[in-house]
Amino acid sequence: MAPVSTPPMKEAKSIFNNLGYEVIDDGDEFRARRKWREVRVTAYADSMSTPKHGELRCFVAWKENATRLSRQLRDSNLEYEWAVIAVLEGGDYEVARAPPSKIAV
């Protein structure tokens, strides 16, 4: 079982590196950049609060926390686009997409 209290930072960076993103450290988070797109990535621990602002955000959590995190983000009615990546044992992962953005274009 994964250590649910420690954020999966190493796994998050590995996922984005393998997807062809440039990973740029930025304190407790990192930015993943590819072509025109830049995503702020947060490795989520079970006791963190989620950011209130942003544009494109991705949260990487252990599988045990991912469903609860997705529900928390959905219930927060955030004004940015987000996704959750659930890290499984052995390095595999699943992506949960967010509901469509409510920001007017």
Side-chain angles (χ1 to χ4, degrees):
M1 181 172 175
V4 294
S5 62
T6 304
M9 181 65 83
K10 180 178 145 188
E11 293 79 1
K13 288 179 178 180
S14 177
I15 290 167
F16 278 89
N17 274 323
N18 290 340
L19 291 172
Y21 282 81
E22 174 189 7
V23 172
I24 304 155
D25 280 321
D26 199 6
D28 293 337
E29 300 179 319
F30 65 89
R31 293 176 288 145
R33 185 183 304 158
R34 185 172 72 187
K35 298 182 184 177
W36 58 269
R37 181 179 313 153
E38 184 170 291
V39 179
R40 169 99 37 211
V41 181
T42 302
Y44 185 82
D46 57 351
S47 62
M48 293 175 64
S49 61
T50 56
K52 303 295 180 209
H53 305 286
E55 289 185 34
L56 298 174
R57 287 195 169 270
C58 182
F59 299 90
V60 181
W62 298 114
K63 175 70 173 168
E64 294 83 5
N65 293 329
T67 300
R68 183 170 33 97
L69 172 59
S70 292
R71 191 176 316 116
Q72 176 184 341
L73 291 165
R74 198 171 289 116
D75 291 348
S76 295
N77 201 26
L78 300 167
E79 293 188 1
Y80 55 79
E81 293 187 51
W82 56 267
V84 173
I85 296 177
V87 178
L88 307 166
E89 289 188 47
D92 291 334
Y93 62 92
E94 300 172 349
V95 178
R97 301 222 183 269
S101 175
K102 296 176 181 149
I103 299 173
V105 180

